[in-house]
Amino acid sequence: MTKIAILGFGVVGSGTAEVLTENKALIEERLGSSYEIRYILDLRDFPDSPFADRVVHDFNIILNDPEVSVVAEMMGGSHPAYDFTKACLEAGKHVVTSNKEVVSTFGVELCRIAKEHGVRYLFEASVGGGIPVIRPMINDLSSNKINKISGILNGTTNYILTSMRDQGASFSDALTEAQKLGYAEANPSADVDGIDAARKIVILAALACGKLADPKTIPTEGITAITLTDTKMAQAFGYSVKLVGHAKVSEDGKLTAFVSPRMVPACNPLSRIDGVFNGILVDANMVGEVMFYGPGAGKLPTASAVVADIIDIIANRDKATKPILWEAAAVSDMADFADYTCRRLFLLKDGGSLPSALEKAELRRIDGTVGALTEAMTETEASALAESVKDMLLSVYRVLD
Ligand code: HSE
């Protein structure tokens, strides 16, 4: 009998209890062994919940119970989630989590501590909600060198952008709806400012190259400046505006990782990923391109991934499993972002004459705005061009080539 503790009884924590309960017979039959939810840690009481008798407020009850061998951390935020995770791993308890903030910030240390204590730290639910992507990248792509990852990694922003494009919804109405549906972070700035996607892309990049970049230092732009005119202009060019996390490992092993809104051409499968769905396109040297697709946020999809990790731990508890081990990415491991090259779509106020630098650009006009699609250029060249047209410039988008 495996005894499980759940830390945090919010959207994902309560979903995890629901999945473990609803599918108990099926999971136990597959495992050939039984489990129980022994504790649920939360600051609140849940008198009307079927799990009310399992709720505790003192973490030490869980830490000091030797019978609890698997802990599912779904508290969100760095502290005390990181501190509790570390304590559990050091006490010889396996930990699974959906907490991308903790994995992306403390993953190097926590994976090392897990290895040192002969336990596992698994985080399938930290990227892509319910989509199986971490385990397939570790296991099923292990014969490949991963060159590039492009992902729609945040369900809330994809939901907002899809509602703006398809229903002409305002940004704030679409965000309120995403919050109601349980997709958004407690502080939605993490979603709309691209911070959540930055955490996820550094985790995926670490799976690709073994180096975990600091999510706070990679270039990160969100979606708050995107207007309805921008989404219409995108459509005029046959593009969709998507918030994309991008990671690239160059021939010499240098890592580029960043998050920004991108103009995604209709021929790219990411252009058709709408609503709360996420899609992760991985370019690997043997298999070519593979895509992972599914619900990127939400209670039961995310809980499904959390429980998959719990099942993995129970099923393999008597076997030696290969630990995940990363190094912190040093500045010298990172490519110079100034050299990143792609086409750009400049949106300018219509009326004045276009500068000569944009003479060769493909043009479209909408709502008093002119869109100018350029050839591929570096970040440095794009900044110089933006400076030269600053009086008429509304925005600049990178194209996902
Ligand atoms: N707020 C996140 C999202 C939840 O919208 O994708 C899943 O990580």
Side-chain angles (χ1 to χ4, degrees):
M1 161 80 76
T2 304
K3 298 196 176 177
I4 300 164
I6 291 174
L7 310 184
F9 204 52
V11 174
V12 183
S14 60
T16 298
E18 196 174 323
V19 173
L20 284 168
T21 306
E22 175 92 13
N23 282 353
K24 186 170 170 57
L26 176 142
I27 297 170
E28 287 185 340
E29 192 189 335
R30 285 180 184 159
L31 281 171
S33 69
S34 60
Y35 61 79
E36 71 167 29
I37 300 171
R38 182 71 191 88
Y39 303 109
I40 292 169
L41 180 77
D42 204 285
L43 293 171
R44 302 160 291 180
D45 280 310
F46 299 87
D48 301 326
S49 160
F51 304 100
D53 59 334
R54 259 69 61 89
V55 174
V56 296
H57 306 301
D58 179 1
F59 168 67
N60 289 311
I61 295 172
I62 295 167
L63 186 64
N64 296 328
D65 185 337
E67 293 194 343
V68 171
S69 58
V70 182
V71 175
E73 183 275 300
M74 269 90 59
M75 308 181 77
S78 279
H79 301 284
Y82 154 76
D83 313 84
F84 289 178
T85 299
K86 187 174 170 184
C88 287
L89 294 171
E90 286 172 343
K93 300 181 194 298
H94 304 281
V95 178
V96 305
T97 189
S98 58
N99 191 329
K100 51 265 162 157
E101 183 172 340
V102 169
V103 177
S104 64
T105 311
F106 303 104
V108 171
E109 180 194 5
L110 294 173
C111 288
R112 179 182 47 75
I113 292 173
K115 177 181 183 284
E116 284 166 4
H117 290 82
V119 289
R120 299 174 76 196
Y121 180 50
L122 300 184
F123 39 84
E124 181 61 66
S126 66
V127 179
I131 307 172
V133 58
I134 305 262
R135 196 171 288 102
M137 277 188 69
I138 294 172
N139 295 334
D140 304 310
L141 296 181
S142 58
S143 62
N144 287 261
K145 174 181 176 296
I146 292 172
N147 299 318
K148 205 164 69 176
I149 303 166
S150 303
I152 293 174
L153 300 170
N154 182 270
T156 300
T157 47
N158 206 43
Y159 182 88
I160 293 171
L161 292 174
T162 306
S163 302
M164 286 172 71
R165 185 195 64 195
D166 293 351
Q167 280 112 45
S170 73
F171 180 92
S172 62
D173 285 353
L175 173 59
T176 305
E177 194 57 27
Q179 286 172 311
K180 270 195 216 145
L181 291 165
Y183 303 154
E185 297 299 300
N187 176 359
S189 157
D191 295 301
V192 300
D193 293 329
I195 298 162
D196 179 73
R199 291 171 178 149
K200 291 167 175 167
I201 196 64
V202 301
I203 294 171
L204 293 176
L207 295 172
C209 69
K211 305 271 169 69
L212 183 66
D214 179 350
K216 293 192 193 73
T217 63
I218 67 166
T220 302
E221 287 167 42
I223 65 162
T224 51
I226 298 173
T227 65
L228 285 172
T229 303
D230 297 1
T231 62
K232 280 195 230 162
M233 185 64 82
Q235 286 182 290
F237 278 93
Y239 293 154
S240 287
V241 189
K242 299 286 183 190
L243 185 68
V244 174
H246 189 82
K248 191 173 151 203
V249 186
S250 62
E251 288 291 317
D252 61 0
K254 300 247 186 204
L255 174 66
T256 304
F258 69 99
V259 172
S260 78
R262 300 292 284 257
M263 290 288 164
V264 184
C267 59
N268 186 313
L270 292 181
S271 72
R272 294 185 289 282
I273 290 173
D274 291 332
V276 72
F277 283 83
N278 283 189
I280 298 138
L281 203 53
V282 179
D283 177 351
N285 73 337
M286 292 295 140
V287 69
E289 266 192 355
V290 288
M291 188 160 91
F292 301 93
Y293 169 76
K299 179 176 172 172
L300 294 179
T302 311
S304 151
V306 172
V307 175
D309 280 346
I310 294 174
I311 293 171
D312 183 341
I313 285 168
I314 299 173
N316 293 296
R317 70 184 147 196
D318 300 324
K319 296 182 198 145
T321 52
K322 189 172 179 307
I324 300 167
L325 282 179
W326 295 332
E327 286 172 32
V331 173
S332 58
D333 292 319
M334 306 300 289
D336 188 348
F337 188 57
D339 296 333
Y340 182 76
T341 304
C342 64
R343 289 185 296 158
R344 319 274 161 163
L345 180 61
F346 282 71
L347 275 76
L348 308 151
K349 281 181 228 153
D350 204 358
S353 56
L354 285 175
S356 55
L358 287 173
E359 257 168 19
K360 288 197 198 130
E362 187 183 329
L363 303 180
R364 301 267 192 285
R365 288 186 159 80
I366 278 180
D367 297 346
T369 301
V370 57
L373 179 65
T374 72
E375 293 300 312
M377 60 177 69
T378 64
E379 292 295 315
T380 306
E381 289 163 342
S383 300
L385 181 49
E387 179 61 26
S388 73
V389 293
K390 65 173 189 255
D391 292 341
M392 51 196 304
L393 185 66
L394 298 169
S395 49
V396 188
Y397 286 87
R398 298 179 183 92
V399 175
L400 187 66
D401 286 314

